[in-house]
Amino acid sequence: MHLIRAISIMTLVALGIQAQAAVIANEKVATASLSKDDAKNILLGSKTSWDGGGKIVLAVLTGEAGDPIVNDLTGKTASNFQTHWKRLVFTGKAGMPKMFAKPEDVIDFVKSTEGALGIIPDGIAAAGTKAVALQ
Amino acid sequence: MRFRLSSALLALAAGLPGLQAYDAMGVEIHGFVSQGYLLSARNDGFLVEESRQGSWDFREAGINFSTSPYENLRIGAQFYARDLGNLGNDKVELDWAYGDYKFHDAIGVRAGRYKIPRGLYNEVQDYDSLRTSVFLPQSVYNIRLRDFYAGMNGAQLYGRIDVGAAGAFTYQACLGNNNYDVENGSVAYYFNNALTSLATTLGMRGATFEATDLKSDYIMAGMVGWESTFGLRLGVSGISTRNLEASGYFYTPTTTPFGTITSLAPNGATATDWKSFVASAEYVHDDLTLASEVNQQTIVIPGAGQPHMISGGGYVSAAYRVHEKVELGSYYSVNYGNLNDRHGEGQGSLRPPTTPNYYAWSRDTAFSVRVDPVPSWVVKVEAHYVDGTSLLSSTLSDMTEFERYWWYFAAKTSYSF
C-alpha cells in the first residue's frame, strides 16, 4: 500500500501535475467542510479553533508531495512557509505545526490526535479519519 | 564567569541532525544561535570601536519554551543573549514571557513581557534566519536603538478580522513599561552617545557621558494592518515612551602640571516623549519579496535648546530566491539624524558645527547573498556602500575623522531548531 502511494505521488510530481488537496480530520471533529480561505488561515496559524469549538492541531505534509499543496492554498513557497511559522514561534505567538514527510504519517497523526487536521494529496486512502470537504 | 547562551546552544545544535523542535511533556522547545563577522572600510565606529580591524563580537542566541495547557491559552518564555561590540555582552535576558488568551480569532489578550509590534520586522529583528539580509535597513531598524523597541512589559490586545475576499485586518494595542539595562543596553548607549556629542558641540572636548540610571513612566504602542489575499500587506505602527529619563555623570579630563585629572559632574536628560511612527508595505509573490517602509522618530527634550529632534528615513528592498537554497537581496536605505536638517547645514543638530554636512545622513546600498545548506542552517554574506556618516558612533570613534564614502561588510551563520 505504501509503495502504491509513493508511486502515485512521484508520478504526479514527475508529470508536473499539481496534486489536488484532500483535507482530513480526526473522527471526533464535527466540521464537515472548510472554505479555501479557512484552510489557508489554518495553515498560516490565523485560525486556531474549530467553528464548533475545540483547538485545531495542524499536521503539515512537506517535501515534493506537500509543498505544492501548501503553495496552492497559502500562496507561500516552502521556504516562506517555514519562515512564516518560525516568526510565530520565535515571538511566542504559536507552536510549530507537526510536519511530516510522508502522507501516511499525516494520516496516522490525524487518526490518533483529537482536534487534528491534515492536508494530503487527493486520492490517498485515509481510513480512520474524517474527510472534510474543501470548498 | 558569565554563562554564554550562545556556546550552550552551539553545543546543543552540534548534537542535532537537522531542523527539529524538542517536545518534552507538551512543552515545545525551540532555539537559535548566530555568529557573525563585521568589517568596515575607510571609517571606524560602525557598531564596534575598531571596525576597520574586523570584529567577531557579533552574535545572538535564544531558547524558548512554550505550551498550551488549555484550548485558548498559550504560555511561554524566551531567553536571549547578544554581543555586538559593547552592547549586550552575552548577558542573558528575558526576551519575552507572557500568557496569551485568545477569546476568538478577532480578539485576544497577552500579558507579561512581549515583543513590540513596530513595522514589518521589529518583532523578529533579533532572528537572523528569518530574513535575507544580515542587517535590516538601519533607517527603520537601527540596531543601536534595539532596546527602545524590542520588548515591553504590560498587556496587549490583539486580533485578526477576516473580511473574505478583501483579506483581513489585524490590530495590536499595547500598554506597559520597560526595564533598561544601564551596563549593556542600547538605550544607555544612545544617551551616552547623544550627550557626549552634545558636550563636544558645546566645546567640552574629551568629555564623555555615562548613564547610571534609566527609567520611563509608561509606554504605549500599537499597530493596525491589512493583509490582502494576493500577497500584499500594509501597516502603520506607533510607539510612545513617556518621560524617558537618563541620569549619570560627565567625565571631563583636565590636563594639569601634575597630570590628567578627571572630574565628575552629575547630569542627565529627560525625553518627555519618545515617539516613533512607521508606515509599511510588503508584497510577496512566490520567490519574490518587495518591501518598503518609512520611519519618523520624534524626541521631545524640554530645556535642551532644541525641544524636538526629528530623525528618520526609509528604505526599499527586494529579495528573490533564485534556487531552493540560495536567495539574493538588496536594499537602499536613507537615514537622517535630523529630518529638519537633511542637507547637514547644522540647524538643530547635536553634532559640532564644524563637522562636514555629510554627518547628517547615511545612504546605504546593500547587497546580500543567503544560502540555506539545510533548512535549519543559514549562511549569509553582505556588502554595504554608504554615503554619509549618521550611522557612525561618536563614542566608538573620533567623529572628526569620518570620511563621507565608506563600506561595511558582514558575514553571518545561524542555526535554528
Side-chain angles (χ1 to χ4, degrees):
Chain A
M1 182 63 86
H2 287 181
L3 182 63
I4 294 168
R5 283 179 189 158
I7 290 171
S8 60
I9 291 166
M10 285 168 63
T11 306
L12 287 170
V13 171
L15 292 174
I17 297 168
Q18 194 164 26
Q20 294 294 308
V23 180
I24 56 171
N26 183 270
E27 283 189 318
K28 291 181 182 170
V29 169
T31 300
S33 65
L34 279 178
S35 68
K36 281 201 166 184
D37 278 347
D38 280 342
K40 176 184 177 181
N41 290 336
I42 292 169
L43 276 169
L44 296 179
S46 304
K47 182 177 173 63
T48 55
S49 296
W50 292 105
D51 287 342
K55 181 177 162 186
I56 297 172
V57 182
L58 177 62
V60 178
L61 180 65
T62 59
E64 288 184 341
D67 291 346
I69 294 174
V70 168
N71 182 255
D72 183 42
L73 289 172
T74 67
K76 290 189 181 295
T77 61
S79 65
N80 285 340
F81 184 72
Q82 286 278 351
T83 299
H84 172 84
W85 274 101
K86 282 186 181 179
R87 281 180 180 171
L88 297 179
V89 165
F90 285 119
T91 52
K93 292 178 178 174
M96 205 72 169
K98 302 294 178 189
M99 298 206 179
F100 300 98
K102 298 175 187 169
E104 51 266 39
D105 291 338
V106 175
I107 294 165
D108 288 344
F109 179 81
V110 169
K111 203 187 304 182
S112 60
T113 308
E114 197 170 332
L117 174 143
I119 300 177
I120 57 175
D122 200 9
I124 295 177
T129 67
K130 175 178 180 174
V132 177
L134 190 59
Q135 297 173 332
Chain B
M1 189 175 72
R2 175 165 280 162
F3 172 71
R4 285 208 164 178
L5 185 60
S6 54
S7 304
L9 282 172
L10 271 175
L12 183 64
L16 287 174
L19 177 67
Q20 56 179 287
Y22 287 105
D23 192 330
M25 297 172 63
V27 177
E28 270 188 46
I29 306 173
H30 295 273
F32 61 92
V33 59
S34 304
Q35 175 63 56
Y37 179 77
L38 183 63
L39 174 72
S40 69
R42 302 194 74 188
N43 283 329
D44 270 327
F46 180 64
L47 303 175
V48 299
E49 281 183 26
E50 295 181 329
S51 50
R52 279 190 297 180
Q53 306 298 314
S55 176
W56 293 98
D57 283 352
F58 184 25
R59 58 181 164 269
E60 305 99 30
I63 187 165
N64 70 56
F65 307 85
S66 63
T67 188
S68 181
Y70 302 106
E71 181 185 329
N72 295 324
L73 177 65
R74 181 160 198 85
I75 55 175
Q78 178 160 284
F79 297 93
Y80 172 77
R82 72 163 173 166
D83 188 25
L84 180 63
N86 54 11
L87 297 176
N89 297 317
D90 294 315
K91 183 183 173 187
V92 179
E93 62 181 66
L94 190 61
D95 194 25
W96 50 261
Y98 61 85
D100 180 342
Y101 192 84
K102 198 171 189 179
F103 298 94
H104 182 272
D105 290 333
I107 186 164
V109 62
R110 298 182 178 118
R113 179 168 181 78
Y114 49 84
K115 307 296 281 186
I116 297 175
R118 175 179 174 267
L120 296 168
Y121 309 118
N122 185 67
E123 290 172 291
V124 292
Q125 65 169 311
D126 296 325
Y127 319 129
D128 177 70
S129 64
L130 302 185
R131 58 176 176 265
T132 312
S133 59
V134 175
F135 286 102
L136 284 166
Q138 296 295 290
S139 55
V140 178
Y141 304 101
N142 188 330
I143 201 166
R144 291 186 300 169
L145 303 182
R146 180 235 177 223
D147 293 356
F148 283 95
Y149 306 124
M152 61 186 278
N153 312 319
Q156 182 188 75
L157 200 65
Y158 72 95
R160 183 177 189 280
I161 300 160
D162 204 320
V163 285
F169 292 97
T170 60
Y171 68 90
Q172 295 181 75
C174 315
L175 181 65
N177 209 338
N178 210 347
N179 43 309
Y180 304 98
D181 181 352
V182 172
E183 289 183 10
N184 307 295
S186 58
V187 177
Y189 176 86
Y190 176 86
F191 275 100
N192 293 347
N193 196 47
L195 290 173
T196 298
S197 292
L198 182 62
T200 308
T201 304
L202 297 174
M204 298 162 59
R205 194 171 174 84
T208 55
F209 180 79
E210 195 171 314
T212 53
D213 190 33
L214 291 159
K215 58 188 177 187
S216 56
D217 285 355
Y218 62 92
I219 299 172
M220 292 184 293
M223 180 170 192
V224 291
W226 172 67
E227 297 171 1
S228 75
T229 56
F230 53 89
L232 177 67
R233 63 172 173 145
L234 306 173
V236 290
S237 53
I239 173 170
S240 171
T241 302
R242 301 306 300 265
N243 289 325
L244 178 57
E245 183 182 336
S247 49
Y249 295 91
F250 272 110
Y251 293 79
T252 310
T254 307
T255 304
T256 73
F258 310 104
T260 302
I261 299 171
T262 302
S263 61
L264 272 66
N267 213 309
T270 299
T272 52
D273 199 359
W274 180 296
K275 289 185 283 199
S276 168
F277 289 97
V278 179
S280 315
E282 183 191 62
Y283 177 67
V284 180
H285 180 73
D286 289 338
D287 293 312
L288 175 69
T289 301
L290 303 172
S292 183
E293 292 185 278
V294 290
N295 167 44
Q296 178 175 299
Q297 186 170 274
T298 306
I299 308 168
V300 182
I301 306 176
Q306 39 191 358
H308 292 81
M309 288 172 54
I310 304 174
S311 60
Y315 74 90
V316 290
S317 72
Y320 190 74
R321 188 161 281 266
V322 295
H323 179 269
E324 181 190 353
K325 296 184 176 185
V326 182
E327 194 164 284
L328 305 179
S330 180
Y331 62 74
Y332 179 70
S333 169
V334 182
N335 165 261
Y336 296 102
N338 183 348
L339 285 173
N340 293 324
D341 184 28
R342 295 180 193 215
H343 303 293
E345 289 160 355
Q347 298 95 334
S349 292
L350 284 178
R351 60 195 178 79
T354 54
T355 52
N357 60 347
Y358 58 81
Y359 282 51
W361 66 77
S362 288
R363 297 168 185 140
D364 183 347
T365 307
F367 298 96
S368 317
V369 179
R370 169 188 166 131
V371 180
D372 299 62
V374 295
S376 52
W377 179 33
V378 175
V379 180
K380 301 179 193 176
V381 290
E382 184 167 294
H384 295 251
Y385 178 67
V386 190
D387 167 12
T389 62
S390 67
L391 289 177
L392 298 174
S393 165
S394 62
T395 54
L396 295 177
S397 184
D398 183 351
M399 65 190 296
T400 62
E401 296 178 357
F402 291 157
E403 294 190 39
R404 176 170 176 171
Y405 299 99
W406 56 288
W407 295 79
Y408 65 97
F409 308 91
K412 206 167 195 186
T413 184
S414 302
Y415 184 89
S416 61
F417 64 90

